[in-house]
Amino acid sequence: MSSTTTKMKTPISLFFSLVSLLPFISFPASSQNLENFLQCLSLQFPNSSSITNVTYTQQNSSYESVLEAAIRNRRFNTPSTPKPVVIVTPLLESHIQATIHCSKEHGMNFRIRSGGHDYEGLSYVSSETPFVILDLVNFRSVEIDVGNGTAWVQSGATIGELYNTISKASSTLGYTAGVWSTVGVGGHFSGGGYGWLTRKYGLASDNVIDARLIDVNGRILDRKSMGEDLFWAIRGGGGASFGVILAWKINLVSVPETVTVFRVPRTLEQNATSLVHRWQYVADKMDENLTVRIFLRRVNSSQGGNGTTVEAAFTSLYIGGIDTLLPLMQQSFPELGLVRENCTEMSWIQSVLNFGGFSINQSVDVLLNRSSVVDNLYFKGKSDFVTEPISLSGIEMILTRFNEQPQLESSEVSFNPYGGRMSEISASETPFPYRNGTTYNLHYSVSWQEEGTSALDRHMNWIRDFYGFMAPYVTKNPRSAYLNYRDLDIGVNNGGGNSTSYEQASVWGLKYFGVNFERLARVKTAVDPGNFFRDEQSIPVL
């Protein structure tokens, strides 16, 4: 392994070496902390037992099932994984206010969970102990206003629940958010939210027009009362650094009755190298209604034997019909050789099902399922941004290196194009800075089912090594990353965040937020000067 890869491993290795030393059942002084915390909650509700119905300690028979219900990554569901001393699943806003108050009073680190898809498990794992999880699973209503083309969606809803509700209210409205239906709205919106409609309508966070938030003092704020600085910060800066976001008001987007989907796979033997190279020059300049992504996977070679090859699957959503799509592709990317037989017309909500791994003939109610098979895998992801096309020889080296990986259960690299609406929004409009000048985003992922240290090391070493190999081809000084593809390898705060300086946090913060990181720290200092809302990559106070 290269020295570069070793350096990248240091922060995350230190983090997990520390947390692995923490015992399963309890933490030092946690019994007293827990007793004081629970007594505090009861005092907040002297005439009601409702708070006891939504609190789960490790002695509660439902504790394990409540904890595991939204653990989406088995890397963080092991005997050595730190466990919360209490989980609160609030039914009322006053439950959240009480939980914040009592956590502050009794030294409980505080984690907020909506869908549980944080790549590093930070919504339900903490290196600071004892800690409490505030699980927003009961805050999941979606209210659609078809006439005004808006919706209020609570943070505990999944994007699948949002998509489902929109589709039942209107066949010509949609939303620009991610693919995976079990992702929680709270983290997805507050980190940006990239998806198939992004080139047309921007990120999920670009279409948020109001929000309701409980701050560190227990105040319930909307856009007007929180002010434009805080409203700016939570739309891409990670909401968990600033408060508990209860709900989001969003502008829904227009979709036609018919959209078109295609998937054209090409292997190395079918000229994949030159096609990937050419894609870089056209993907961000195509019509904004057309998004063509590439998914690299290793497959068995058609040439027989036990050899493998790389398949580049050119996968697309076009906001319109086949008859309009074909001439557009002929004009912008004729090298792919797209033909009518490659294409399928469907409704927008059927495209959601298609990209989410479902059959387009299934009921849209499948999107209401809050868990799926892939949510029970071991997983690691990383990201990059590219501003200059990689040379043909560089693409060849990348595909060759990808094909040389050790025997892994599932690995993938996706190329996600920008341009369109993304080029029209300034880098400082929201905390997400990668707009004009960014050609595409790279997402690296590896997942597996095999248990044990050997499997963990094999898969983690591969993705870190491949990430190190990619350094010459991507952004530099700093090497950029996307918050919603959280990666603790790029740096962590001291002690979970409580004693971290702005300078130290800049190691990872500038990679996610670029020129916007200092403003985020200033907002944090103004609204949470005591740094109550903190984690291993939370925004620091100045």
Side-chain angles (χ1 to χ4, degrees):
M1 185 175 296
S2 68
S3 60
T4 301
T5 305
T6 302
K7 290 179 182 177
M8 288 190 297
K9 287 180 65 176
T10 301
I12 186 66
S13 298
L14 176 61
F15 171 68
F16 283 110
S17 66
L18 288 172
V19 299
S20 66
L21 296 175
L22 300 168
F24 171 77
I25 295 298
S26 62
F27 308 109
S30 65
S31 296
Q32 188 63 49
N33 281 80
L34 176 59
E35 182 180 340
N36 293 339
F37 175 79
L38 295 175
Q39 183 178 16
C40 177
L41 287 182
S42 67
L43 291 174
Q44 294 290 306
F45 294 88
N47 300 315
S48 171
S49 62
S50 63
I51 196 70
T52 63
N53 297 326
V54 294
T55 55
Y56 303 85
T57 68
Q58 294 179 4
Q59 286 68 48
N60 189 295
S61 61
S62 298
Y63 170 89
E64 187 172 346
S65 62
V66 172
L67 174 62
E68 294 184 354
I71 292 180
R72 309 300 185 195
N73 189 340
R74 288 175 65 188
R75 281 203 295 133
F76 307 111
N77 191 18
T78 70
S80 63
T81 303
K83 305 297 193 295
V85 294
V86 63
I87 305 167
V88 181
T89 57
L91 295 168
L92 306 171
E93 292 174 348
S94 57
H95 291 164
I96 300 175
Q97 292 168 311
T99 306
I100 293 172
H101 170 77
C102 294
S103 296
K104 287 169 56 182
E105 286 290 308
H106 299 289
M108 304 281 273
N109 189 235
F110 189 82
R111 296 297 160 108
I112 308 163
R113 184 165 75 172
S114 52
H117 271 274
D118 186 302
Y119 273 28
E120 299 286 8
L122 298 189
S123 62
Y124 53 87
V125 178
S126 174
S127 60
E128 284 191 75
T129 56
F131 72 101
V132 58
I133 293 176
L134 182 79
D135 192 324
L136 297 175
V137 63
N138 297 316
F139 277 70
R140 53 200 277 195
S141 72
V142 181
E143 299 177 1
I144 308 294
D145 183 343
V146 174
N148 290 311
T150 61
W152 273 103
V153 52
Q154 290 186 315
S155 285
T158 64
I159 57 175
E161 290 171 334
L162 173 61
Y163 290 155
N164 174 280
T165 308
I166 294 172
S167 72
K168 291 181 176 179
S170 170
S171 62
T172 57
L173 291 175
Y175 197 61
T176 173
V179 171
W180 210 243
S181 60
T182 57
V183 169
V185 160
H188 189 63
F189 285 14
S190 70
Y194 183 88
W196 282 102
L197 296 179
T198 292
R199 295 194 69 249
K200 175 70 171 181
Y201 293 113
L203 303 173
S205 57
D206 295 332
N207 293 276
V208 171
I209 55 176
D210 203 346
R212 298 184 75 250
L213 173 148
I214 299 182
D215 74 359
V216 69
N217 298 311
R219 298 177 300 173
I220 300 177
L221 308 173
D222 61 9
R223 178 175 183 173
K224 182 177 180 180
S225 55
M226 76 175 70
E228 287 302 303
D229 280 346
L230 180 52
F231 184 65
W232 171 87
I234 62 175
R235 290 176 298 135
S241 289
F242 303 97
V244 178
I245 302 171
L246 302 170
W248 309 81
K249 186 178 184 181
I250 57 177
N251 270 331
L252 302 179
V253 302
S254 297
V255 293
E257 295 280 356
T258 300
V259 302
T260 305
V261 167
F262 70 75
R263 181 182 183 273
V264 179
R266 295 287 186 261
T267 64
L268 295 178
E269 296 78 16
Q270 297 170 321
N271 206 28
T273 304
S274 63
L275 288 172
V276 172
H277 177 253
R278 178 59 185 161
W279 173 92
Q280 298 177 105
Y281 292 88
V282 299
D284 65 322
K285 301 174 181 64
M286 292 177 175
D287 186 287
E288 64 180 9
N289 293 295
L290 176 59
T291 299
V292 180
R293 303 168 79 173
I294 304 174
F295 296 90
L296 298 184
R297 297 183 180 94
R298 196 169 68 158
V299 298
N300 292 329
S301 175
S302 61
Q303 297 182 353
N306 297 319
T308 61
T309 187
V310 175
E311 176 189 87
F314 295 82
T315 307
S316 176
L317 173 69
Y318 174 62
I319 308 172
I322 294 176
D323 290 338
T324 311
L325 168 62
L326 290 175
L328 275 178
M329 284 295 292
Q330 183 60 34
Q331 177 185 359
S332 59
F333 196 16
E335 297 86 352
L336 186 61
L338 183 72
V339 295
R340 181 176 293 270
E341 289 71 27
N342 299 136
C343 305
T344 305
E345 290 185 337
M346 60 186 70
S347 66
W348 168 75
I349 195 63
Q350 285 179 314
S351 77
V352 169
L353 294 172
N354 174 75
F355 293 122
F358 304 108
S359 164
I360 64 173
N361 297 316
Q362 284 184 261
S363 165
V364 295
D365 287 345
V366 72
L367 297 173
L368 301 178
N369 294 341
R370 291 183 67 92
S371 62
S372 69
V373 173
V374 297
D375 288 339
N376 195 35
L377 298 174
Y378 295 90
F379 176 83
K380 174 66 179 177
K382 303 174 81 67
S383 64
D384 269 315
F385 289 92
V386 178
T387 55
E388 297 291 336
I390 302 170
S391 67
L392 181 60
S393 62
I395 294 293
E396 184 175 17
M397 292 175 66
I398 291 168
L399 299 188
T400 299
R401 183 63 169 259
F402 186 73
N403 195 34
E404 291 174 348
Q405 62 186 263
Q407 204 61 39
L408 304 178
E409 290 184 37
S410 178
S411 58
E412 180 181 270
V413 177
S414 64
F415 295 61
N416 308 302
Y418 279 50
R421 177 63 179 146
M422 291 294 283
S423 294
E424 300 169 357
I425 303 173
S426 75
S428 59
E429 181 70 19
T430 73
F432 181 91
Y434 304 110
R435 309 286 190 167
N436 191 29
T438 298
T439 305
Y440 59 93
N441 163 266
L442 287 169
H443 178 233
Y444 319 100
S445 65
V446 61
S447 58
W448 66 101
Q449 299 185 64
E450 182 185 350
E451 297 181 357
T453 303
S454 177
L456 174 69
D457 289 345
R458 185 169 69 253
H459 290 83
M460 296 290 280
N461 289 343
W462 173 79
I463 194 170
R464 287 169 172 158
D465 184 67
F466 190 79
Y467 179 79
F469 170 80
M470 289 296 297
Y473 306 109
V474 298
T475 54
K476 302 171 182 65
N477 301 318
R479 183 175 181 176
S480 307
Y482 175 31
L483 180 64
N484 275 359
Y485 298 152
R486 174 96 65 183
D487 182 10
L488 293 187
D489 287 354
I490 67 174
V492 293
N493 294 336
N494 281 335
N498 196 31
S499 59
T500 300
S501 68
Y502 173 81
E503 288 72 22
Q504 180 183 342
S506 294
V507 171
W508 58 263
L510 292 175
K511 295 171 184 174
Y512 287 139
F513 305 113
V515 297
N516 297 320
F517 186 55
E518 182 177 352
R519 183 180 176 187
L520 284 169
R522 293 190 182 281
V523 175
K524 170 72 172 181
T525 304
V527 303
D528 183 20
N531 200 22
F532 171 72
F533 295 108
R534 63 181 183 268
D535 59 44
E536 285 69 28
Q537 281 186 346
S538 58
I539 304 298
V541 295
L542 290 174

